[in-house]
């Protein structure tokens, strides 16, 4: 263990604890000891402290106790001559640093300077946490780089950021070097930052590093079902499942930065830097080396991946712009766009159809009509994209699955913004992408490459035709819409009773080891992105993957939705943690959740019904809990009667908690969610003879507590009032 690093880290820890103590004293003077503290719209209190100690920090008085705990963890500074090279002292100093910095940062939310300011985003709220968590689950985001300091210049910063994006990593930015930060360098070059592009600027102070490490802790608590207070399990979870590293850039490392690096090593997150500092090469806490220095900036990203032990899978797409999931959230403003495809009143579509083998020439890409060079700049462009595919295992039922994936495939190209599907699409291509050489043929190249790359087990050949004359697009739309209608009718007739196989989705088990999604024709995956047909296609594509067929076999309880086949699969696939699951009940052995659900349903005992809340609703609910709090009760592979995670689609299903009374049990949901699902809910309520039912569901405009919900139900005579008790 380097004495220089150890001494610096411990000195830095003392400085940070003192700084946090001073900030806390100021906050108490201004707000009082009973003042509540929180990172806005987040569960798990101050997540590092909560994960490591189990202590819920709720007030400034609680923070006083934490600062005292941090001080008690500070080791003595290494002696000049008789120094013991003990890593534990440095790790303790690192953890004391993180405890103190969480207190310091939460006090900033009370008395300033505000953590959310300009480009700085502060703590990620729980909506972002759960939306982005699925990307760490399914591997589209293999890890994150916590960047400290700044690059030698702004152009190099952009180059490093793009390289990390192309490797699908998140980039968390905090701290500075001599007053300049990596995020400010990206801003100087006009790089779009935020969660959508995976370039996340947390804060300019070094203390903002707690937002990166807190994100990792929250992943373990939320998805991994690691109980608060079990520090060792949380740290091991992060070492083995959250592949992160510290990338330190600049000309020197401060004592405070050393202290934070020591904190990160506790998690198994190594530090890699271009700066000339001592190295810690022996393995131990980290998978490989702990500190690697003097790495040239043009090779530092690859060295980071090597040291952390990351496995990156990249399939090169032959187009003149960067390509990867990091660009899917890119927004192209009106002033920055070359053209806009589709939109209101502009005919445009995307269509996948199955052909015979002799009708498809693999790799053939045609643009029938003018290309971008011959189109006027701006909106109003009509394009029809037809992808014709063939393969021995190809089935017409897979066509809508491939169409939905086109949104992701095209959106991952830098300079292409993609929205919608089928005949309701709106795309933009940026001026920068056009200048780089991007043309419409490259859209065809992306589709060809990605269809082969991800559906190669099913597809043998792909050809793509792009129609750009408005009259051609309108002519094709007639036959395309007829195909859509036929397809919808075919899928709409499928029910749970009409099939003998359901499909599993265990994609999220890397975060929630005991969770198993069982997907049926009438119940999609709780994340909303996996239908029964998706499960079927997933199994065809990868027979050993997360989507496995489940034979229903003997009926145990038809009302609850229990079969011996589903129970047996659950028991074996949940690592023998769970024995039974009821697909149609929220009260009896409900299905588990990983944490990626679109909605949570929760029983309201006084109302004899349930409330439904989606992740976009951040206010208090009638249950007395926010979405983020309930998510901790439901997620992590737990089976909690009275609570259930599910997709929005499931609310319109005839099987929605049918064992407990179905849709008629819904007594409250957020107004925005009710409006979003109005057409679906109205159709379902009519089929159940629930007259004017949508108006009978309370929302936050008429009821904010359970008592107010009951009062509203009595006023409008909600059907749940006369139903059998739920328990």
């Amino acid at each position: 263990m380097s004495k220089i690093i150890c001494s610096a880290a411990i000195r830095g820890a003392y400085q940070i604890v003192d700084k946090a103590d001073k900030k806390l004293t100021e906050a108490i003077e201004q707000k009082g000891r009973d003042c509540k503290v929180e990172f806005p719209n987040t569960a798990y209190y101050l997540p590092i402290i909560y994960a490591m100690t189990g202590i819920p920090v709720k007030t400034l008085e609680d923070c006083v106790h934490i600062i005292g705990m941090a001080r008690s963890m500070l080791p003595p500074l290494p002696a000049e001559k008789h120094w013991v090279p003990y890593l534990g002292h440095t790790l303790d100093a690192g953890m004391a640093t993180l405890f103190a910095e969480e207190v310091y940062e939460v006090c900033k939310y009370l008395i300033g300077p505000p953590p959310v300011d300009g480009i700085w985003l502060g703590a990620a709220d729980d909506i972002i946490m759960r939306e982005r968590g699925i990307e760490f689950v399914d591997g589209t985001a293999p890890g994150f780089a916590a960047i400290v300091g700044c690059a030698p210049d702004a152009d190099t910063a952009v180059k490093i950021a793009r390289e990390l994006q192309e490797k699908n990593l998140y980039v968390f930015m905090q701290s500075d070097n001599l007053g300049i930060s990596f995020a400010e360098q990206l801003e100087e070059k006009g790089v779009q930052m935020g969660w959508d592009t995976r370039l996340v600027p947390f804060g300019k102070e070094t203390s903002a590093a707690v937002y990166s490490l807190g994100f990792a802790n929250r992943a373990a608590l939320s998805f991994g079902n690691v109980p608060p207070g079990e520090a060792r399990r949380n740290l091991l979870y992060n070492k083995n499942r959250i592949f992160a590293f510290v990338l330190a850039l600049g000309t020197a490392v401060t004592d405070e930065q050393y202290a934070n690096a020591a904190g990160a090593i506790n998690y198994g997150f190594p530090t890699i830097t271009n700066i000339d500092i001592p190295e810690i090469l022996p393995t131990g806490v980290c998978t490989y080396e702990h500190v690697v220095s003097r790495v040239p900036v043009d090779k530092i990203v690859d060295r980071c991946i090597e040291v952390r032990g990351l496995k990156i899978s990249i399939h090169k797409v032959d187009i003149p712009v960067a390509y990867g999931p990091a660009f899917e959230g890119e927004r192209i403003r009106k002033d920055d766009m070359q053209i806009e495809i589709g939109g209101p009143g502009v005919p445009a579509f995307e269509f996948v159809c199955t052909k015979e083998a002799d009708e498809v020439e693999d790799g053939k890409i045609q643009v029938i009509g003018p290309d971008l060079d011959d189109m006027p700049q701006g909106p109003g462009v009509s394009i029809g994209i037809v992808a014709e595919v063939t393969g021995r295992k190809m089935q017409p039922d897979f066509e809508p699955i491939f169409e939905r994936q086109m949104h992701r495939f095209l959106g991952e190209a830098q300079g292409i913004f993609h929205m919608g599907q089928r005949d309701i699409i709106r795309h933009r291509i940026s001026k920068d992408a056009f200048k780089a050489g991007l043309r419409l043929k490259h859209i065809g190249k992306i589709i060809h490459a990605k269809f082969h790359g991800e559906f190669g087990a099913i597809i043998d050949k792909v050809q793509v035709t792009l129609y750009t004359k408005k009259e051609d697009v309108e002519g094709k739309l007639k036959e395309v819409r007829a195909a859509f209608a036929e397809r919808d009718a075919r899928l709409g007739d499928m029910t749970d009773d009409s099939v003998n196989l359901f499909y599993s989705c265990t994609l999220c088990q890397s975060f929630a080891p005991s969770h198993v999604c069982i997907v049926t024709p009438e119940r999609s995956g709780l994340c909303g992105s996996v239908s029964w047909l998706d499960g079927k296609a997933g199994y065809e594509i990868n027979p050993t993957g997360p989507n496995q067929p489940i034979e229903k076999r003997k009926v145990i309880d038809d009302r609850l939705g229990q079969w011996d086949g589903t129970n047996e699969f659950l028991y074996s696939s949940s690592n023998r943690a769970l024995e039974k699951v009821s697909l149609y009940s929220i009260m009896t052995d409900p299905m588990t959740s990983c944490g990626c659900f679109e909605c949570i349903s929760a029983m309201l005992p006084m109302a004899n019904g349930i409330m439904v809340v989606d992740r976009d609703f951040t206010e208090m609910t009638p249950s007395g809990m926010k979405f983020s709090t309930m998510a901790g009760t439901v997620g992590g592979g737990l089976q909690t009667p009275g609570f259930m995670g599910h997709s929005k689609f499931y609310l319109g299903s005839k099987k929605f908690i049918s064992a407990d009374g179905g849709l008629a049990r819904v007594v409250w949901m957020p107004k925005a969610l009710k409006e979003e699902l109005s057409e679906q809910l109205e159709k379902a309520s009519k089929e159940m003879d629930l007259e004017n039912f949508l108006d009978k569901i309370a929302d936050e405009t008429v009821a904010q507590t359970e008592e107010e919900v009951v009062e509203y139900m009595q006023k409008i005579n909600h059907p749940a009032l006369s139903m059998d008790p739920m328990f």
Side-chain angles (χ1 to χ4, degrees):
M1 182 68 192
S2 165
K3 181 181 177 182
I4 294 175
I5 290 180
C6 181
S7 300
I10 295 174
R11 283 198 308 269
Y14 274 94
Q15 294 166 13
I16 290 165
V17 172
D18 286 342
K19 184 167 72 171
D21 198 356
K22 181 180 178 183
K23 192 75 169 179
L24 176 59
T25 300
E26 292 176 7
I28 290 173
E29 288 175 353
Q30 294 184 37
K31 301 292 183 179
R33 287 177 174 265
D34 294 332
C35 179
K36 292 183 179 180
V37 297
E38 66 172 354
F39 293 142
N41 299 320
T42 66
Y44 308 123
Y45 309 101
L46 302 189
I48 297 176
I49 296 166
Y50 190 53
M52 296 299 126
T53 69
I55 298 173
V57 178
K58 300 179 182 179
T59 66
L60 288 174
E61 178 66 38
D62 296 334
C63 292
V64 174
H65 173 62
I66 296 300
I67 291 296
M69 181 184 295
R71 283 200 185 280
S72 71
M73 295 166 62
L74 293 174
L77 285 167
E80 184 64 30
K81 293 184 178 180
H82 302 291
W83 172 67
V84 179
Y86 179 46
L87 179 60
H89 282 170
T90 310
L91 297 180
D92 288 344
M95 195 56 70
T97 295
L98 302 181
F99 285 9
E101 285 181 335
E102 277 201 316
V103 171
Y104 178 76
E105 286 291 322
V106 82
C107 286
K108 286 167 62 176
Y109 275 98
L110 292 175
I111 63 173
V116 181
D117 182 30
I119 63 172
W120 307 113
L121 302 180
D125 66 25
D126 280 344
I127 294 174
I128 290 172
M129 172 66 205
R130 294 187 179 280
E131 285 178 347
R132 301 297 162 174
I134 185 62
E135 296 174 357
F136 288 89
V137 171
D138 65 17
T140 56
F144 68 79
I147 293 189
V148 175
C150 68
D153 54 69
D155 288 331
T156 302
V158 173
K159 183 177 181 297
I160 290 172
R162 293 307 187 208
E163 195 172 352
L164 290 165
Q165 282 180 300
E166 287 182 347
K167 287 175 168 55
N168 306 335
L169 295 160
Y170 272 84
V171 181
F172 293 160
M173 293 168 278
Q174 51 273 303
S175 194
D176 67 278
N177 182 77
L178 300 178
I180 302 172
S181 70
F182 191 86
E184 289 169 327
Q185 290 178 312
L186 297 185
E187 182 187 35
E188 176 189 334
K189 289 297 181 178
V191 174
Q192 190 176 133
M193 292 182 287
W195 285 98
D196 287 340
T197 59
R198 302 192 183 186
L199 300 174
V200 184
F202 280 130
K204 189 169 182 177
E205 287 194 81
T206 302
S207 56
V210 294
Y211 298 131
S212 296
L213 296 173
F215 186 93
N217 281 123
R218 289 159 68 192
L221 292 165
S222 178
F223 297 106
N225 196 23
V226 177
E230 295 200 12
R232 185 175 184 275
R233 280 185 61 186
N234 198 297
L235 294 174
L236 285 174
Y237 183 94
N238 276 285
K239 176 182 177 179
N240 297 327
R241 295 177 183 269
I242 308 295
F243 290 94
F245 53 86
V246 177
L247 175 50
L249 297 167
T251 55
V253 178
T254 67
D255 288 352
E256 291 191 6
Q257 289 171 340
Y258 273 122
N260 277 270
I265 288 175
N266 280 280
Y267 294 74
F269 301 166
T271 293
I272 300 90
T273 179
N274 69 317
I275 305 169
D276 185 5
I277 62 172
E279 296 187 311
I280 306 175
L281 300 181
T283 60
V285 181
C286 296
T287 304
Y288 299 116
E289 297 89 349
H290 296 78
V291 178
V292 177
S293 64
R294 300 181 295 277
V295 181
V297 290
D298 60 338
K299 297 177 180 169
I300 201 163
V301 172
D302 287 339
R303 188 75 171 108
C304 288
I305 290 168
E306 177 192 342
V307 172
R308 185 59 182 95
L310 266 166
K311 304 299 180 186
I312 304 290
S313 177
I314 300 176
H315 300 284
K316 184 69 176 176
V317 180
D318 185 20
I319 56 175
V321 294
Y323 188 87
F327 301 105
E328 188 178 356
E330 181 184 17
R331 294 292 183 265
I332 298 173
R333 299 179 180 86
K334 188 175 181 180
D335 293 340
D336 298 328
M337 74 178 186
Q338 180 70 22
I339 64 160
E340 181 177 85
I341 296 166
V346 181
F349 67 85
E350 295 168 345
F351 179 56
V352 174
C353 60
T354 307
K355 295 288 186 178
E356 296 297 327
D358 59 358
E359 297 178 281
V360 179
E361 180 182 336
D362 188 47
K364 182 179 180 181
I365 298 168
Q366 297 182 86
V367 178
I368 299 178
D371 206 327
L372 299 186
D373 303 275
D374 302 315
M375 291 179 178
Q377 186 176 318
V381 176
S382 289
I383 288 183
I385 303 173
V386 178
E388 296 170 303
V389 300
T390 185
R392 296 189 179 213
K393 293 185 178 180
M394 182 61 194
Q395 301 175 29
D397 286 347
F398 297 162
E399 292 169 354
I401 298 167
F402 296 166
E403 278 170 13
R404 282 199 297 276
Q405 293 301 316
M406 287 170 69
H407 167 76
R408 177 166 63 90
F409 295 159
L410 297 181
E412 289 181 1
Q414 185 183 18
I416 298 181
F417 168 73
H418 187 287
M419 180 184 293
Q421 62 176 348
R422 288 193 169 190
D423 57 342
I424 306 174
I425 61 173
R426 187 176 185 179
H427 306 172
R428 283 181 175 177
I429 295 176
S430 72
K431 293 176 182 175
D432 287 343
F434 176 75
K435 290 176 183 176
L438 186 75
R439 298 296 181 265
L440 293 181
K441 68 177 181 180
H442 295 115
I443 290 178
K445 285 192 173 186
I446 293 170
I447 294 170
H448 175 261
K450 297 301 289 184
F451 274 24
H452 271 299
E454 299 205 13
F455 304 124
I458 292 176
I459 293 176
D460 295 331
K461 294 191 288 184
V462 183
Q463 70 181 26
V464 183
T465 305
L466 297 96
Y467 299 91
T468 62
K469 293 180 181 178
K470 186 176 180 180
E471 55 270 27
D472 289 344
V473 176
E474 289 175 332
K476 284 286 179 182
L477 257 177
K478 295 177 182 178
E479 59 184 87
V480 166
R481 285 174 174 158
F484 289 157
E486 180 183 349
R487 183 191 296 167
D488 289 342
R490 183 172 72 247
L491 299 180
D493 291 337
M494 295 183 66
T495 66
D496 289 2
D497 297 328
S498 69
V499 299
N500 294 319
L501 294 176
F502 295 154
Y503 286 91
S504 69
C505 183
T506 55
L507 192 66
C508 300
Q509 279 197 341
S510 58
F511 273 63
S514 61
H515 169 61
V516 179
C517 242
I518 297 177
V519 182
T520 80
E522 294 182 84
R523 180 172 185 164
S524 62
L526 54 85
C527 64
S529 61
V530 181
S531 70
W532 184 87
L533 284 174
D534 294 328
K536 181 182 178 183
Y539 176 66
E540 292 280 351
I541 294 167
N542 183 6
T544 61
N547 305 124
Q548 293 294 309
I550 305 172
E551 189 176 352
K552 296 190 316 190
R553 299 208 306 260
K554 181 183 176 181
V555 176
I556 295 175
D557 191 315
D558 189 55
R559 182 183 68 87
L560 290 174
Q562 280 198 21
W563 294 264
D564 64 0
T566 55
N567 285 344
E568 182 180 311
F569 186 91
L570 175 75
Y571 182 64
S572 62
S573 298
S574 67
N575 300 307
R576 300 187 177 186
L578 302 165
E579 296 182 354
K580 295 186 293 182
V581 61
S582 300
L583 299 187
Y584 308 144
S585 177
I586 191 176
M587 299 302 298
T588 306
D589 305 315
M591 196 164 77
T592 58
S593 300
C594 59
C596 303
F597 31 70
E598 290 185 303
C599 301
I600 296 174
S601 284
M603 183 185 66
L604 296 177
M606 293 172 56
N608 198 33
I610 66 166
M611 52 162 269
V612 181
V613 60
D614 63 313
R615 66 176 63 254
D616 292 330
F617 187 76
T618 60
E619 305 302 317
M620 187 62 71
T621 70
S623 70
M625 295 181 283
K626 294 183 178 181
F627 180 93
S628 57
T629 304
M630 284 191 291
T633 301
V634 179
L638 300 176
Q639 194 173 58
T640 310
F643 292 84
M644 182 179 70
H646 57 84
S647 67
K648 294 177 181 178
F649 166 83
Y650 187 43
L651 282 163
S653 169
K654 293 178 182 178
K655 296 296 187 181
F656 175 71
I657 63 167
S658 57
D660 307 312
L663 186 63
R665 290 287 189 185
V666 178
V667 301
W668 186 94
M669 68 171 61
K671 187 173 186 289
L673 179 63
K674 191 162 60 169
E675 291 174 350
E676 178 186 349
L677 302 178
S678 60
E679 184 177 343
Q680 179 180 335
L681 294 174
E682 285 176 356
K683 180 181 177 182
S685 59
K686 285 180 181 178
E687 291 175 350
M688 296 181 66
D689 294 324
L690 298 171
E691 189 175 350
N692 299 321
F693 183 68
L694 204 60
D695 295 333
K696 295 182 179 181
I697 301 174
D699 57 44
E700 71 274 18
T701 65
V702 297
Q704 298 181 1
T705 66
E706 189 170 356
E707 290 80 5
E708 291 174 348
V709 171
V710 173
E711 184 180 340
Y712 182 79
M713 291 171 65
Q714 292 170 340
K715 181 180 177 182
I716 52 88
N717 193 29
H718 193 286
L721 292 172
S722 58
M723 297 173 73
D724 293 336
M726 291 191 72
F727 65 99

